[in-house]
Amino acid sequence: QPVHFHDQMENADRLSTKKLDLVIELAGSEVNFIVQNLTTQLSEQVRAQSSFIPISSRYLLGNADLYLCRESYRELFDQLFNILEEHAPDKESMRWVLHLLKKSEYKKGASSSFAPVTGSAVTCVTRCYDIPNLYHEFDMNCSLNQLLEWLSTSDVVNNVFMAVEAVQTWVLNKKFIDDNTSLRSFNESVVTNKLFQIMKSRAWLRLPHSLSSLEVYMYDDNLDMSPLCVSAGEKCSYVDILCTDTCENPLPLLSEEATLVFQFQHPDVRSCDKPGKCGFMFKTVPGEGKLRKIKLCTETEDYHNQPVHFHDQIRAEKMHLYFVTIYCNFLEPLSWVGWFNTETYSSFSWHSCKCYYLYQRHGAFRIMYKI
């Protein structure tokens, strides 16, 4: 196995979709290189008692020639799917594994009823993919130090913005729902420094400069986001995309069927003659707490009579969705089930709060998109 290929597989989580496609192309008929590396990595995760299947692994398996692997390297193929079937963390992941197994029965490029598998969700008739950062869980009873320790190693957390939202969710939960005595020693600058160290140790990318001005309200003050962001004018691997519509309160909108529209021309789309603006749309799937979902619309019919059109370069797994109020640029954390999803959030008497001006919730959804 070429050394450079092994290095690419070791760092797959840091590769763009385009580079992952190049890995698949380099492997060619030697698809066993990809499957062997992924089987080894997944085996190591099992030993570490982690059931999370990385997005890059899902993408590689969804686009590699598993039919060829099944026919030429059957023992390796069976080993891979034994691991996937035994350690799928939830029903959605198991559906993805079964879909992948069924797809492997067909030669690549052959006609079948199965669409390619990409991103973190199962590809169905309508290729709408779940936005991956939404509504994860952690132990709200943990201490701040325990939370930071967990954020430094968790497979669920894949960028420093998710870590920031986790801390903010924990603080708001303690402040307005649980006993807030544990917050008396909370220090925003110390937390910023610890998040910065986690970002460095996990080799996470810095955030867009626009996020440095967010009001990330914690206990008595805002978290300083600037150390976690690139400087003004500095090149960034993320772009910040604003939804074209605003709303009074994000929670009711996410609890009903709704559509969110974003205008965005992907850098790989050099020229476009389609009518309307380049962009993408989300559809909300109503539910309670973590059962709520937001899906990326990718089918042509989804964009009929809409102000934007879709290009295949847009990927759900590259997106991080968040909500910011217009009045004061206040961040409302969406990544974690907790404060945002509680009845307390909906019914809270904002004007009785000494900092009620921070909670003027008329705002807009935004996307941090990894290029």
Side-chain angles (χ1 to χ4, degrees):
Q1 182 175 152
V3 174
H4 71 278
F5 183 87
H6 178 74
D7 291 342
Q8 293 279 20
M9 291 296 298
E10 282 286 310
N11 297 288
D13 282 342
R14 303 180 192 177
L15 299 180
S16 65
T17 303
K18 187 182 292 185
K19 289 184 178 178
L20 290 175
D21 289 337
L22 182 59
V23 168
I24 295 170
E25 186 178 341
L26 287 171
S29 62
E30 304 295 333
V31 67
N32 58 304
F33 286 168
I34 292 176
V35 175
Q36 180 63 70
N37 275 276
L38 291 179
T39 301
T40 300
Q41 291 173 17
L42 291 170
S43 297
E44 290 173 353
Q45 285 186 240
V46 169
R47 285 195 292 272
Q49 298 184 329
S50 171
S51 59
F52 177 72
I53 304 174
I55 291 173
S56 59
S57 299
R58 289 175 180 256
Y59 185 86
L60 288 168
L61 290 173
N63 291 279
D65 193 345
L66 291 182
Y67 173 84
L68 180 59
C69 181
R70 183 184 187 131
E71 295 299 307
S72 304
Y73 308 96
R74 188 54 188 254
E75 185 177 345
L76 179 60
F77 178 90
D78 290 342
Q79 184 182 358
L80 169 68
F81 275 90
N82 283 339
I83 294 174
L84 289 174
E85 290 173 5
E86 289 177 14
H87 300 282
D90 49 43
K91 290 182 180 179
E92 185 180 39
S93 295
M94 181 54 75
R95 287 197 298 269
W96 172 78
V97 171
L98 294 176
H99 180 92
L100 203 63
L101 184 61
K102 188 69 176 176
K103 181 172 174 276
S104 70
E105 296 176 3
Y106 297 89
K107 286 185 178 180
K108 198 169 185 181
S111 176
S112 80
S113 60
F114 293 90
V117 178
T118 56
S120 61
V122 181
T123 304
C124 305
V125 177
T126 58
R127 296 189 310 158
C128 292
Y129 305 135
D130 292 352
I131 305 307
N133 72 287
L134 299 181
Y135 314 137
H136 298 283
E137 293 181 288
F138 63 85
D139 182 7
M140 288 292 174
N141 295 317
C142 68
S143 67
L144 177 60
N145 285 336
Q146 289 172 329
L147 174 60
L148 291 169
E149 180 65 27
W150 181 76
L151 292 173
S152 68
T153 59
S154 172
D155 290 328
V156 175
V157 189
N158 56 26
N159 63 63
V160 72
F161 201 5
M162 279 191 76
V164 168
E165 288 185 293
V167 174
Q168 188 186 26
T169 300
W170 181 87
V171 169
L172 292 173
N173 243 59
K174 295 293 182 186
K175 188 169 184 176
F176 296 118
I177 299 175
D178 297 335
D179 182 7
N180 65 9
T181 54
S182 58
L183 295 177
R184 290 173 183 170
S185 60
F186 188 90
N187 185 299
E188 282 79 3
S189 61
V190 170
V191 171
T192 296
N193 183 59
K194 289 186 176 181
L195 288 171
F196 179 79
Q197 296 303 322
I198 293 173
M199 180 179 70
K200 285 180 61 179
S201 67
R202 299 197 60 174
W204 284 333
L205 299 169
R206 290 195 183 226
L207 305 175
H209 178 70
S210 58
L211 270 62
S212 63
S213 62
L214 282 183
E215 300 279 345
V216 185
Y217 189 71
M218 293 289 181
Y219 181 51
D220 278 330
D221 203 352
N222 293 312
L223 193 75
D224 182 10
M225 291 287 287
S226 56
L228 310 177
C229 303
V230 299
S231 303
E234 185 180 352
K235 186 177 180 181
C236 184
S237 297
Y238 294 108
V239 293
D240 204 21
I241 309 168
L242 178 66
C243 184
T244 59
D245 299 310
T246 62
C247 65
E248 184 67 30
N249 184 339
L251 195 55
L253 185 144
L254 295 175
S255 302
E256 60 189 30
E257 292 186 2
T259 301
L260 302 174
V261 178
F262 297 79
Q263 293 182 5
F264 172 61
Q265 183 168 338
H266 195 282
D268 289 345
V269 179
R270 303 301 172 86
S271 61
C272 175
D273 56 4
K274 294 182 179 181
K277 300 283 188 180
C278 297
F280 54 88
M281 297 193 317
F282 292 159
K283 286 184 179 178
T284 61
V285 181
E288 292 297 324
K290 66 180 180 179
L291 297 179
R292 294 192 193 98
K293 293 184 183 296
I294 295 183
K295 294 179 176 288
L296 172 66
C297 302
T298 62
E299 293 294 339
T300 302
E301 53 265 31
D302 292 328
Y303 291 85
H304 184 62
N305 291 331
Q306 296 293 337
V308 296
H309 57 260
F310 182 76
H311 291 278
D312 287 336
Q313 286 85 348
I314 302 295
R315 302 286 185 181
E317 66 267 23
K318 301 288 186 179
M319 298 181 178
H320 183 108
L321 181 70
Y322 63 105
F323 187 87
V324 175
T325 62
I326 293 174
Y327 182 75
C328 59
N329 211 29
F330 176 73
L331 172 67
E332 303 214 2
L334 304 183
S335 291
W336 305 96
V337 175
W339 163 251
F340 177 78
N341 294 277
T342 63
E343 291 183 7
T344 306
Y345 172 90
S346 300
S347 61
F348 189 75
S349 179
W350 301 103
H351 289 274
S352 67
C353 178
K354 65 180 180 181
C355 51
Y356 73 89
Y357 60 88
L358 290 176
Y359 296 98
Q360 304 302 309
R361 288 181 283 172
H362 188 84
F365 290 93
R366 302 179 76 102
I367 284 288
M368 186 177 74
Y369 190 93
K370 184 178 179 182
I371 298 298

